[in-house]
Amino acid sequence: PGFSFVDMAKALVDDDLWALFNRCFPPAKPRRNKYPGRNPLNDRAVLTGILFVLQSGIPWEMLPQEMGCGSGMSCWRRLRAWQEAGVWNALPEVLLARLRTADRIDWSRCIVDSSSIALWVRVKNRTQSSDRARPGSKHHLITEAQGIPLAVILTGANRNDVTQLLPLVEAIPPSRGKRGRPLFKPRVIQADRGCDHGKYRRPLHAQGIKTEIAGRNTPHDSSLGKTRWVVERTIGWLHNYRRLRVRFERLAVIHEAFIKIAGSLICWRKLKYTEGSFC
């Protein structure tokens, strides 16, 4: 059998994944009876185009028309509209609730780490041999004990990791799925020596969260590496989506939307391959 963009589109968004996303999309706006204009693109087709750009890393204008996703700019506009509507914030909450129901979330500890990425303009026009000024962006990630992403924050590459320690903990969405109060506070936070600062430890201790952070000027062969490696693996999973390896978007909200979609897809695969399909 030959290559088919139609088959690729079906593989990107199967029925179970579409049912999951469709729960979070806002209802369609009512159309005018007189002169309603062209019919809007199907949400599933637009989602397929967005995921194809996320995974392949191609420019929006090169989105294959054979996939039936409309133009790249149509997908870009819908991605931004869904970001403003809070779709990509609601999606992780739904998935974390499903994972907690299946007992797949380990709240015994959370791990923090970050990764720097370059800007496309910087890569395209690079004239210096050193990037010490760090004119790029940084992904700050917090995961639970098994590496399931809980929250990701986008900042400039010159931001110190320790400044995002508290915002990452605050960005953890409530984990429902069982009786009682939703969980959103880990017992222990683990981080590397870049987060070793009493100013940021004390607020966590005040909330009852213990910290296991490598001290400055200590050997690198600490025992924390035996448990912290999962966050580095999750960063690798995120960067398997080629659109996240280099920041092409000038608008931060677009890149943040891609990050949240990628994190949700990681959660989805974790649930799908451990518990089977649902929805």
Side-chain angles (χ1 to χ4, degrees), residues 22-123:
N22 195 33
R23 291 181 55 184
C24 302
F25 287 150
K29 295 182 179 179
R31 307 190 68 200
R32 295 178 297 178
N33 295 328
K34 188 177 183 180
Y35 306 118
R38 291 187 301 176
N39 291 326
L41 287 170
N42 180 272
D43 284 346
R44 184 168 183 172
V46 174
L47 176 63
T48 302
I50 292 172
L51 296 188
F52 185 78
V53 170
L54 172 63
Q55 293 192 4
S56 65
I58 65 171
W60 289 104
E61 59 271 17
M62 293 182 63
L63 186 65
Q65 296 297 309
E66 295 83 355
M67 297 184 68
C69 305
S71 68
M73 284 309 300
S74 297
C75 294
W76 183 91
R77 293 189 191 98
R78 196 75 63 86
L79 173 65
R80 184 177 181 181
W82 284 336
Q83 169 77 347
E84 294 174 350
V87 171
W88 312 128
N89 291 328
L91 187 61
E93 292 190 23
V94 173
L95 282 163
L96 290 177
R98 295 280 187 170
L99 286 167
R100 188 185 175 200
T101 301
D103 291 325
R104 302 304 304 174
I105 299 182
D106 185 353
W107 282 97
S108 60
R109 64 180 179 273
C110 285
I111 308 106
V112 174
D113 205 349
S114 68
S115 175
S116 297
I117 61 171
L119 292 174
W120 169 242
V121 175
R122 176 66 175 176
V123 174

Side-chain angles (χ1 to χ4, degrees), residues 165-166 169 189 200-211:
L165 183 59
L166 296 178
V169 175
I189 291 289
Y200 299 93
R201 285 177 182 261
R202 287 189 290 269
L204 294 175
H205 295 167
Q207 300 178 44
I209 302 175
K210 298 180 180 179
T211 55

